[in-house]
Amino acid sequence: MIWLTWRQFRLQALMVGAAVAVLAVFLAVTGPGLSDDYDRYAGEFLKQIALERINGYLYVVGQVLVYAAPPVIGAFWGAPLIARELEAGTHRLVWNQSITRTRWLVAKLAITGVGAMAVTGLLSLAVTWWADPIDDAIGTGQASGVFNVPRLLPPVFGARGVVPIGYAAFAFALGVAVGLVVRRTVVAIAITLAAVIAVEVLSPLLLRPHLMTPVETTIVVTTENMRGFMLSGPEDTAEVTQIEAKLPGEGFWKLSEQTVNSAGQAPKTLPQWLAKCGPPPPNVAPDPSRPTLANCFQRLADEGYRQKITYHPANRFWDLQWREAGIFLLLAAGLTGFCFWRIRRDLT
Amino acid sequence: MTTALKAQGLGKKYGRRWALTDCTLDVPAGRVVGLVGPNGAGKSTLLNLAVGMLTPTAGQIEMLGNPAGTTQQNKIGFVAQDTPTYARLSIADHLKLGARLNPGWDDSLAQARIQQLGLDLKQRAGKLSGGQRAQLALTLGVAKRPELLILDEPVAALDPLARREFLQDLMEAVTEHELSVILSSHLVSDVERSCDYLVVLVDSRVQVSGDIDTLLATHYRLVGPRREEKSMPQNQHVVSVSHTDRQSTYLIRTDEPVLDPAWTVSQLTLEDIVLAYMGRSTSAPQNNRPLLEVQR
């Protein structure tokens, strides 16, 4: 059965394996250099490596490939695994040899599934290792060019560590299960591709923030930490709708921010006088009586307004990684269980 | 081991439609059994139940003395409808598959058969003709060295010449390896050529089953002056009847000789018998399906 599984799987395995190997070679060649540069340039590291285009390309390509691996594996390894047999009727050939369907499925799932996780794991490991100095530098507040997203933030988080392995296992099991249900290879590939991409997009929005209780903090907004000041409405009656401040430190993942009053509630509108604090409209003579931003923030603080921020601190990276990977591995196990249950039912 | 297949009140329902109902059968081992019936009669359902591809909705089915689909997968070979093979695998790969997945695999037999058929081991199964593919599937089934080989419409897709060759080949394998065989077909001629036991399945019911020689010896056509069915003797089981104004034609089954001098008694061919049973079913009030393609 091992032989047969490999015989049927080797083409797909070689294609994905080759793509991963090519990237791995590039990363292996350039990785040690990056790590040397990190030591040499210290605070100027990102600025220096951004000068060489290859670094930016590899950074982005690695990221994209780690995200692409689960949908591709789910769609092209998982979906056809059973669907193609059902479609061609060959399950009636192979299930009537001297082994049970369960053993047949065990071999198929184990070999291909472990392959899926191993390939994605290697890819993620290579990319995580290569990008480690960069992630490190971003974590200390450096930023340059494409290198500006801390690893805890959604665009990077899913392309590092163990989360891709969880995605790959889930995508593979989903592909197999979908193929078993719809029994059409092409349809199963399409559904799996769409579903896994949707999961990759939605997981950071709907799942990841809730994996741990976010830290809640309140800070006073000042001219130094102010990052946004949003006005809306016509000039005379403009209202301030939103103020954004930056937390001290680097590398955290901010989930929400509200301006709350002294009672701790978020008012519908901020005080009217705040509108005058924004920069004066163009082609209007400077008004000496207009308050400065610093005065405004002082008054805001005095009236008891604070910025209430929830976030995940940077040191939660691995906790969140393991939790998310674990959840997707559990989902994969559930889907696998479904496949074993379904395969024992009537399928002609 | 005296029975190959034993079914008790066996039934299978797909959704709300019964594909097989109240099937009670006792097929002895060591025979070549022909399962005949029009398309859609439930032949495939019965065979799929026999190899455990399907589970019964009602009743039981035993193969070689054990419930179907439980153990002994190595004792039963199955060549499924349309003789599926892996299009991208070569013939050699298929033989390797058979060898890997069957403890009792007879590789020399498989190699010899492929050679005898003049097939190239390196050829992909997808490039084979329908007849060659059927032969490959049969090779897999036979080289597994089962006690019972089940074939679901193995020759349906073949032209008459390939059909004859395939069946001849099958019969050689049967005599050589002392196999029991159950073979389904919608053509009586296939069965007549190769089988010694007959099961007729129409509209998801078993109409008649038995040794072909016995069936031929116990069925008669009686032609004589018009006579009502009620007045027929008890020991003459009427299969079908047709009347003209003055004449009646009966097709009966009886274990005793027909002695009534009013009848002109004639023997029947197997096809006559099968058609009579099929016709009987279609004229029954509970079903209004048209007579099927047995005459093809």
Side-chain angles (χ1 to χ4, degrees):
Chain A
M1 197 54 229
I2 295 169
W3 171 81
L4 177 63
T5 306
W6 171 244
R7 179 65 189 78
Q8 292 180 285
F9 171 58
R10 64 185 185 188
L11 195 68
Q12 294 120 290
L14 289 179
M15 282 187 334
V16 173
V20 171
V22 168
L23 182 75
V25 167
F26 271 102
L27 296 182
V29 168
T30 54
L34 271 188
S35 158
D36 292 346
D37 288 350
Y38 180 75
D39 297 335
R40 191 181 320 151
Y41 297 118
E44 293 294 296
F45 171 60
L46 290 184
K47 279 208 183 69
Q48 287 298 325
I49 63 163
L51 297 177
E52 284 201 52
R53 274 207 193 145
I54 179 88
N55 293 323
Y57 283 139
L58 281 177
Y59 182 77
V60 173
V61 166
Q63 201 110 317
V64 168
L65 278 186
V66 179
Y67 275 114
V72 166
I73 281 172
F76 296 101
W77 290 11
L81 193 76
I82 297 177
R84 195 190 288 141
E85 302 257 358
L86 295 177
E87 207 169 32
T90 45
H91 65 296
R92 292 178 296 159
L93 174 71
V94 75
W95 290 353
N96 283 290
Q97 307 305 313
S98 306
I99 60 159
T100 62
R101 294 180 206 185
T102 307
R103 257 194 63 196
W104 174 82
L105 188 60
V106 166
K108 286 211 129 194
L109 286 182
I111 293 171
T112 321
V114 168
M117 289 165 68
V119 163
T120 317
L122 281 175
L123 184 64
S124 173
L125 181 77
V127 169
T128 306
W129 165 78
W130 185 87
D132 190 49
I134 296 173
D135 289 340
D136 226 48
I138 295 173
T140 60
Q142 293 186 43
S144 179
V146 292
F147 314 115
N148 59 14
V149 182
R151 62 178 186 165
L152 196 60
L153 259 59
V156 180
F157 186 86
R160 299 280 187 273
V162 292
V163 162
I165 301 175
Y167 285 172
F170 167 76
F172 173 74
L174 182 73
V176 175
V178 168
L180 189 50
V181 171
V182 303
R183 311 177 68 162
R184 291 279 173 277
T185 311
V186 175
V187 180
I189 286 176
I191 293 177
T192 308
L193 210 53
V196 176
I197 291 172
V199 164
E200 284 187 338
V201 171
L202 293 177
S203 175
L205 300 175
L206 303 178
L207 172 69
R208 199 174 304 148
H210 309 293
L211 291 176
M212 295 175 82
T213 316
V215 175
E216 200 179 293
T217 187
T218 53
I219 58 168
V220 174
V221 64
T222 64
T223 44
E224 283 81 46
N225 68 13
M226 195 266 286
R227 284 291 178 277
F229 192 84
M230 224 175 284
L231 280 161
S232 82
E235 212 172 291
D236 310 338
T237 58
E239 284 179 347
V240 174
T241 52
Q242 208 182 342
I243 299 173
E244 276 183 40
K246 186 185 170 303
L247 282 169
E250 299 292 338
F252 50 84
W253 179 24
K254 188 163 86 180
L255 300 174
S256 72
E257 176 169 4
Q258 284 179 313
T259 308
V260 295
N261 58 24
S262 50
Q265 288 151 343
K268 277 221 176 69
T269 54
L270 291 168
Q272 184 64 49
W273 53 262
L274 259 176
K276 296 264 182 291
C277 304
N283 62 42
V284 169
D287 179 359
S289 70
R290 204 179 169 91
T292 64
L293 204 53
N295 296 91
C296 285
F297 285 153
Q298 188 57 52
R299 180 167 168 197
L300 201 62
D302 291 344
E303 287 184 18
Y305 286 96
R306 297 283 184 276
Q307 294 299 110
K308 186 165 129 190
I309 296 174
T310 60
Y311 69 104
H312 286 305
N315 62 9
R316 285 188 172 180
F317 179 78
W318 284 107
D319 283 336
L320 289 170
Q321 279 275 334
W322 286 114
R323 282 172 202 222
E324 184 159 343
I327 282 177
F328 279 99
L329 285 174
L330 279 179
L331 287 174
L335 286 166
T336 306
F338 164 79
C339 290
F340 277 104
W341 171 82
R342 182 66 187 87
I343 203 115
R344 271 180 247 183
R345 314 259 134 190
D346 292 353
L347 278 167
T348 50
Chain B
M1 199 62 61
T2 53
T3 64
L5 183 157
K6 188 172 182 178
Q8 270 291 329
L10 184 68
K12 179 69 192 176
K13 209 171 162 182
Y14 294 123
R16 293 170 62 188
R17 193 179 71 82
W18 285 92
L20 190 69
T21 15
D22 197 23
C23 169
T24 299
L25 262 179
D26 196 340
V27 178
R31 311 299 292 267
V32 180
V33 180
L35 177 61
V36 207
N39 291 334
K43 302 188 298 291
S44 282
T45 303
L46 176 58
L47 296 185
N48 278 306
L49 285 164
V51 295
M53 291 292 285
L54 295 174
T55 46
T57 315
Q60 293 102 39
I61 178 165
E62 279 183 8
M63 303 302 296
L64 305 169
N66 294 304
T70 46
T71 51
Q72 59 181 10
Q73 256 181 312
N74 54 335
K75 290 190 195 160
I76 300 174
F78 182 52
V79 177
Q81 199 162 17
D82 307 326
T83 57
T85 51
Y86 290 102
R88 281 171 39 204
L89 299 196
S90 68
I91 292 177
D93 285 333
H94 277 87
L95 298 190
K96 202 163 172 188
L97 176 158
R100 299 274 179 152
L101 301 186
N102 298 290
W105 183 256
D106 186 341
D107 202 49
S108 53
L109 167 64
Q111 300 286 355
R113 268 192 59 92
I114 295 299
Q115 204 162 34
Q116 193 188 338
L117 293 165
L119 295 178
D120 177 6
L121 279 170
K122 281 186 230 114
Q123 192 159 24
R124 287 189 174 193
K127 296 244 165 84
L128 297 174
S129 72
Q132 291 171 325
R133 222 182 50 214
Q135 289 286 13
L136 175 58
L138 176 63
T139 303
L140 281 173
V142 173
K144 183 182 175 180
R145 300 302 297 267
E147 287 175 24
L148 169 63
L149 183 61
I150 298 177
L151 302 102
D152 190 0
E153 301 252 14
V155 292
L158 307 189
D159 60 66
L161 189 63
R163 193 178 273 262
R164 178 180 300 230
E165 277 173 7
F166 180 90
L167 289 173
Q168 234 160 35
D169 227 64
L170 172 65
M171 289 314 116
E172 278 169 26
V174 166
T175 42
E176 198 174 331
H177 305 296
E178 296 174 340
L179 284 168
S180 303
V181 171
I182 302 177
L183 155 80
S184 76
S185 176
H186 58 267
L187 288 186
V188 180
S189 54
D190 292 338
V191 169
E192 205 163 20
R193 199 175 293 143
S194 45
C195 302
D196 54 21
Y197 195 96
L198 181 76
V199 177
V200 178
L201 195 64
V202 181
D203 279 338
S204 72
R205 283 169 195 279
V206 175
Q207 301 294 333
V208 66
S209 72
D211 191 288
I212 288 181
D213 289 339
T214 316
L215 290 178
L216 288 172
T218 55
H219 284 76
Y220 305 93
R221 179 184 285 122
L222 310 180
V223 183
R226 187 173 172 124
R227 186 164 160 184
E228 290 310 311
E229 199 172 331
K230 274 174 268 177
S231 63
M232 295 296 283
Q234 280 290 311
N235 62 5
Q236 295 185 358
H237 173 77
V238 176
V239 178
S240 75
V241 58
S242 63
H243 301 288
T244 62
D245 284 348
R246 298 160 59 189
Q247 189 174 288
S248 290
T249 306
Y250 278 90
L251 216 149
I252 60 153
R253 183 175 76 214
T254 179
D255 293 332
E256 280 146 55
V258 180
L259 301 170
D260 190 335
W263 295 119
T264 312
V265 180
S266 54
Q267 294 288 327
L268 293 165
T269 64
L270 194 62
E271 184 144 10
D272 291 333
I273 298 173
V274 171
L275 285 175
Y277 280 101
M278 287 185 181
R280 186 174 68 149
S281 159
T282 48
S283 63
Q286 76 269 19
N287 92 64
N288 42 17
R289 258 208 275 179
L291 187 58
L292 303 123
E293 55 169 321
V294 271
Q295 299 95 330
R296 194 166 89 179

